[in-house]
Amino acid sequence: MTTANILPQSASPTPRLPLGKGATWDGQNLKAGFLAAAAWLEQHAAALNAMNVYPVPDGDTGTNMYLTLQAAVKTVADSPTHSAAELLQAIARGALMGSRGNSGVILSQVLRGLNEGLTGKEQVSASEFAVAMEQANARAYRAVQKPVEGTILTAMREMAEAAQIACKQENSFGHLFAEVCSAGRASVDRTPQLLDKLRQAGVVDAGAEGLLTIFEGIRRYAVGDDIAARPVDIPDTMHPIPASADAPNVNIELGQYGYCTNFMVFGQDINFDAARDKLNSMGDSAVVVGDDTMLKVHIHTEHPGQVLEFATSLGSMRQIKVDNMQDQHEHFVDSHASGADLTAFATPGSTGAASPTKTFATPNAEQQASEWAASSAASGIGPGVIAVVSGSGLERVFRSMGAGRIVTGGQTMNPSTADLLDAVEKLPNAEVIILPNNGNIIMAANQVQQLTSKKVSVVPTRTIPQGVAALLAINYDTDLDSNTAAMKRAADDVATGEITTAVRDTTMNEIDVHAGDTIGLLNDVLIVAGTDREQVIRDLISKMGLEDREVLTLYYGKDMDAARVRRLSDGISVEHPDLVVEVVDGGQPFYDYIISAE
Amino acid sequence: MDVAQVEPNPMVEDNSASPPKLGKVEVSPNAVATVVSHAVLKCYGVVGMAAHHPLGEMLRIEERNRGVDVNFDSNKRHVTIDLYVIIEYGTRISAVANNIMSTVKFAVESSLGLPVAQVNVNVQGIRVSKPNEL
């Protein structure tokens, strides 16, 4: 996929995009404005996800808005048109086709209204754009029977009102968007007063904040402020890798389809590196794992024939599966992509787009290898185990201990009952144990029991350490009920500490917390908070009742640096000489450390 | 009338100490339909509900919960909801329909504690509004 040619800063043949300081904007100015908006929104998507509580607290507003806007700008990325109307028409159409989630659908209507308001215009002035914003506002309100105030709709209305006033004061884009954004800020900050659910959660509306973020991106373009130069495309690393050949459809490219091609090749003395490089050059999202006798290949390509032809030169092929992704797209994009993309946004920018295939080849090779091991071990005898986990390291931990399937999820990204049901059905076992590993997922897991013919039991683990302890207690020679009881007992015996960062001010259990503070939770209850992270960690550990414990395990998160973790664990060992301290690279998002004491 | 027994409440994920049981809670399909109806009309992209039964329209029955069908499964443990909606032209129908499903499921499960097995969205009409009508 071409990430480079839609970057203003790239050395592609497309000329540099024009500055936005002129009195009128043409199609290219608008294009640059929306590219800036998409880049700006991308950087804030994770934050928006974190504040999403209305209408359904599923933590995907930022992702949905970004994917919608990204689908829109992608259609014009290579467009040379100077007509403002033509450009906006393409953007509106792209947003419509790519709209995702509630906020995405509303955004598509806003863009549609802008398009309608500027029909036939080659160039637009700030005051014409302001009029089009009024049209966008009308469009947005038109498509819902009972508009809810305190949402993105309110922000759109108040920003459109501010636009009308601003363009009468001074007909320039800089002034227009400055006024729009300042009114937008005030409007977003008022949303908790209008919507009880927001006030109770102590957040502003995520959709409203997202819309403001988009206009802020355009404002930055208009006045020439810096937006961090980052690709607006989604690097391929952000897409989930199909767990096995029977589930290729989870891996979906947006906008560009082709054929999802999977196969295995068995041969002798295969030059693995050369074969992988060759396959990488033949398509997108290539995952090639294996060794010099066997390759497992997943690739998206327009020319599956050529790929298969090349593969036959390496050896004999098995399990060939070619799917048309256009067909899959409609079906699967909504059901599968949201959870996966959340994982993606948890690492904004940390996986550069420079060599996407290489950055993920290694961990996924391991992941797939252990998946094979796990699936061959779990050949349907005894109970199969499904664990809800996020973070590559934690996935490895659970797989290595025999979890048959991993459902990605956890804090702010709860998998649905359907995701869990799907995993249950895919396991070969007639009896299945689910480890939700999060209090918010237990309910969804319980519902699976009623929806499947398999015998399913849920061990209500609320934390990762509880899940690990439960999994260790499993006995493949006994029945489901005794296993469940034993696993629950094991889970209850573990003390779980979690270290994370507060995303907003609050007071809990008589502890004052400020946004940005490090907070420590013991068994899901907030017990310490402070600005000094090391101190918070020490306080938390001291409250974990270590005198009765033998092993302390530190699962460190994806943003942690190994040297620092080592210093911390050495410090703990010195303070608690009787304790065995283990350090595991958990790779989990949100939690700097998950600490288990058993 | 067919009613659902809300017990055990799946919103209370307490497996150890359940509160003492004093009686039972029953929820009628009409009550569920009212909750659903409110949730659906706030869903973005939905501009109305459609009566799906010709007699319903003629006899003016089910006026309040028009376009909502609520069915409990045989053991009354969970609920299936069929919706008949009118959607605004120019929105992505699949996205709107998926929003409706998750919103309705969330509304019913959080306010009534009834597990929702299915939300089926039937798009009965599309409303087209021209820019100059706005």
Side-chain angles (χ1 to χ4, degrees):
Chain A
M1 232 186 308
T2 52
T3 50
N5 59 1
I6 48 176
L7 279 179
Q9 296 80 6
S10 79
S12 71
T14 351
R16 277 179 74 88
L17 290 160
L19 296 174
K21 293 181 178 171
T24 61
W25 280 10
D26 69 358
Q28 292 299 303
N29 291 123
L30 285 170
K31 170 171 133 182
F34 278 103
L35 283 169
W40 193 246
L41 182 59
E42 182 190 7
Q43 296 169 55
H44 294 85
L48 296 173
N49 286 337
M51 61 172 80
N52 172 207
V53 296
Y54 183 86
V56 179
D58 44 9
D60 61 0
T61 293
T63 308
N64 286 336
M65 289 189 88
Y66 171 65
L67 288 176
T68 304
L69 187 59
Q70 196 238 11
V73 297
K74 217 171 158 170
T75 59
V76 297
D78 298 322
S79 166
T81 184
H82 285 276
S83 157
E86 250 179 57
L87 198 284
L88 266 172
Q89 189 173 8
I91 284 194
R93 184 169 168 73
L96 166 63
M97 304 304 284
S99 54
R100 291 267 305 266
N102 215 34
S103 49
V105 176
I106 301 176
L107 178 58
S108 77
Q109 294 302 295
V110 166
L111 295 172
R112 178 184 173 202
L114 282 179
N115 169 34
E116 286 167 355
L118 296 173
T119 308
K121 298 244 183 345
E122 289 295 304
Q123 305 253 327
V124 292
S125 68
S127 56
E128 287 168 328
F129 195 91
V131 173
M133 280 183 69
E134 194 50 63
Q135 175 81 12
N137 171 43
R139 249 311 163 207
Y141 270 89
R142 180 92 176 123
V144 59
Q145 178 92 358
K146 288 187 181 170
V148 180
E149 293 296 340
T151 63
I152 185 169
L153 291 171
T154 313
M156 183 65 226
R157 189 185 71 237
E158 297 186 342
M159 284 196 272
E161 285 165 5
Q164 309 314 311
I165 297 165
C167 71
K168 290 193 179 76
Q169 298 163 339
E170 185 188 327
N171 192 2
S172 82
F173 281 103
H175 181 68
L176 172 71
F177 288 119
E179 290 297 307
V180 163
C181 290
S182 104
R185 183 73 265 157
S187 179
V188 170
D189 289 344
R190 261 197 312 277
T191 56
Q193 297 167 27
L194 297 171
L195 198 54
D196 271 354
K197 291 222 170 87
L198 300 175
R199 198 180 58 232
Q200 287 155 10
V203 292
V204 297
D205 184 64
E209 181 77 39
L211 187 68
L212 172 62
T213 306
I214 290 170
F215 278 104
E216 172 64 19
I218 302 178
R219 186 194 71 79
R220 286 176 170 261
Y221 165 70
V223 300
D225 274 4
D226 187 39
I227 51 152
R230 293 244 313 272
V232 295
D233 205 339
I234 303 180
D236 294 340
T237 39
M238 290 184 165
H239 287 286
I241 305 308
S244 63
D246 62 0
N249 13 32
V250 188
N251 198 332
I252 294 152
E253 294 300 330
L254 293 148
Q256 186 190 336
Y257 311 120
Y259 298 91
C260 177
T261 308
N262 291 275
F263 54 87
M264 293 173 80
V265 185
F266 295 87
Q268 283 180 343
D269 300 330
I270 298 172
N271 183 336
F272 177 77
D273 288 341
R276 188 185 57 195
D277 292 348
K278 171 76 178 162
L279 285 161
N280 277 343
S281 71
M282 298 177 88
D284 291 324
S285 309
V287 181
V288 182
V289 297
D291 53 28
D292 59 354
T293 60
M294 186 274 296
L295 295 181
K296 182 167 179 171
V297 178
H298 161 270
I299 188 167
H300 291 175
T301 175
E302 297 288 344
H303 305 288
Q306 290 173 10
V307 173
L308 297 179
E309 189 64 35
F310 168 70
T312 51
S313 73
L314 300 172
S316 97
M317 284 194 285
R318 307 276 158 79
Q319 296 183 19
I320 304 163
K321 195 164 188 294
V322 180
D323 284 307
N324 185 332
M325 291 190 289
Q326 180 75 51
D327 294 341
Q328 294 172 1
H329 182 259
E330 271 302 300
H331 252 95
F332 287 91
V333 76
D334 290 308
S335 56
H336 281 289
S338 62
D341 286 320
L342 283 164
T343 333
F345 282 108
T347 53
S350 62
T351 47
S355 58
T357 347
K358 281 189 187 125
T359 50
F360 71 68
T362 319
N364 279 292
E366 286 179 36
Q367 179 186 327
Q368 290 218 337
S370 57
E371 157 112 351
W372 294 342
S375 61
S376 57
S379 51
I381 301 156
V385 177
I386 291 169
V388 181
V389 177
S390 77
S392 54
L394 293 177
E395 279 191 20
R396 272 199 296 281
V397 169
F398 276 86
R399 281 181 194 282
S400 68
M401 294 193 308
R405 284 198 95 82
I406 301 290
V407 173
T408 303
Q411 197 60 29
T412 80
M413 42 189 204
N414 302 341
S416 67
T417 304
D419 297 335
L420 293 167
L421 180 63
D422 184 54
V424 168
E425 298 296 346
K426 284 203 167 116
L427 275 180
N429 316 60
E431 296 183 337
V432 178
I433 294 170
I434 303 179
L435 301 173
N437 300 339
N438 186 309
N440 295 332
I441 302 170
I442 296 174
M443 184 180 113
N446 279 328
Q447 286 188 28
V448 173
Q449 296 174 316
Q450 299 160 13
L451 300 174
T452 177
S453 56
K454 292 188 177 182
K455 202 172 167 200
V456 175
S457 90
V458 177
V459 179
T461 53
R462 292 166 177 277
T463 64
I464 293 288
Q466 287 190 346
V468 172
L471 196 46
L472 283 172
I474 198 167
N475 176 353
Y476 288 93
D477 294 330
T478 180
D479 63 71
L480 192 64
D481 290 342
S482 1
N483 255 328
T484 308
M487 290 169 81
K488 188 169 184 309
R489 274 196 305 278
D492 290 343
D493 280 347
V494 176
T496 302
E498 288 159 315
I499 297 287
T500 184
T501 306
V503 293
R504 56 177 180 260
D505 292 354
T506 186
T507 300
M508 228 182 253
N509 307 333
E510 298 178 353
I511 300 170
D512 281 326
V513 181
H514 302 286
D517 281 1
T518 298
I519 52 178
L521 295 88
L522 178 59
N523 296 329
D524 258 4
V525 178
L526 177 79
I527 55 160
V528 279
T531 48
D532 178 353
R533 179 156 64 181
E534 310 299 324
Q535 188 59 44
V536 170
I537 297 172
R538 274 200 297 275
D539 288 352
L540 175 65
I541 290 176
S542 71
K543 292 182 182 175
M544 289 179 78
L546 293 181
E547 53 281 4
D548 305 328
R549 308 284 177 177
E550 290 161 2
V551 182
L552 190 83
T553 311
L554 285 175
Y555 302 91
Y556 64 92
K558 67 174 176 58
D559 295 329
M560 304 307 294
D561 134 79
R564 196 158 171 191
V565 177
R566 178 57 56 192
R567 274 201 303 280
L568 175 68
S569 74
D570 290 348
I572 299 170
S573 298
V574 171
E575 280 179 44
H576 306 276
D578 297 339
L579 216 54
V580 178
V581 181
E582 288 183 352
V583 176
V584 177
D585 176 4
Q588 70 272 12
F590 303 112
Y591 291 105
D592 294 344
Y593 294 99
I594 297 175
I595 305 165
S596 150
E598 53 205 300
Chain B
M1 183 185 277
D2 197 15
V3 292
Q5 302 199 352
V6 185
E7 184 265 322
N9 185 343
M11 294 304 291
V12 182
E13 32 179 68
D14 189 342
N15 292 7
S16 49
S18 332
K21 196 176 165 185
L22 293 171
K24 62 183 176 179
V25 178
E26 295 190 341
V27 180
S28 84
N30 251 339
V32 179
T34 304
V35 171
V36 171
S37 186
H38 271 268
V40 173
L41 288 175
K42 286 179 185 169
C43 282
Y44 195 82
V46 176
V47 293
M49 308 291 288
H52 55 286
H53 194 285
L55 281 181
E57 185 85 308
M58 256 166 21
L59 302 175
R60 297 191 161 271
I61 53 173
E62 288 186 278
E63 191 79 330
R64 269 177 312 162
N65 301 324
R66 195 165 112 112
V68 183
D69 252 8
V70 175
N71 289 297
F72 299 113
D73 73 332
S74 48
N75 56 10
K76 295 178 186 170
R77 292 287 297 283
H78 52 82
V79 59
T80 299
I81 296 162
D82 295 297
L83 299 170
Y84 301 84
V85 297
I86 298 168
I87 287 180
E88 174 76 6
Y89 171 81
T91 57
R92 189 167 174 234
I93 308 285
S94 63
V96 172
N98 281 321
N99 292 339
I100 295 172
M101 292 175 194
S102 56
T103 307
V104 166
K105 181 175 158 64
F106 180 72
V108 172
E109 292 183 349
S110 58
S111 64
L112 297 175
L114 277 174
V116 175
Q118 284 188 347
V119 179
N120 300 311
V121 178
N122 301 281
V123 180
Q124 296 292 87
I126 302 286
R127 188 189 70 184
V128 183
S129 48
K130 297 202 181 75
N132 54 14
E133 288 170 3
L134 297 177

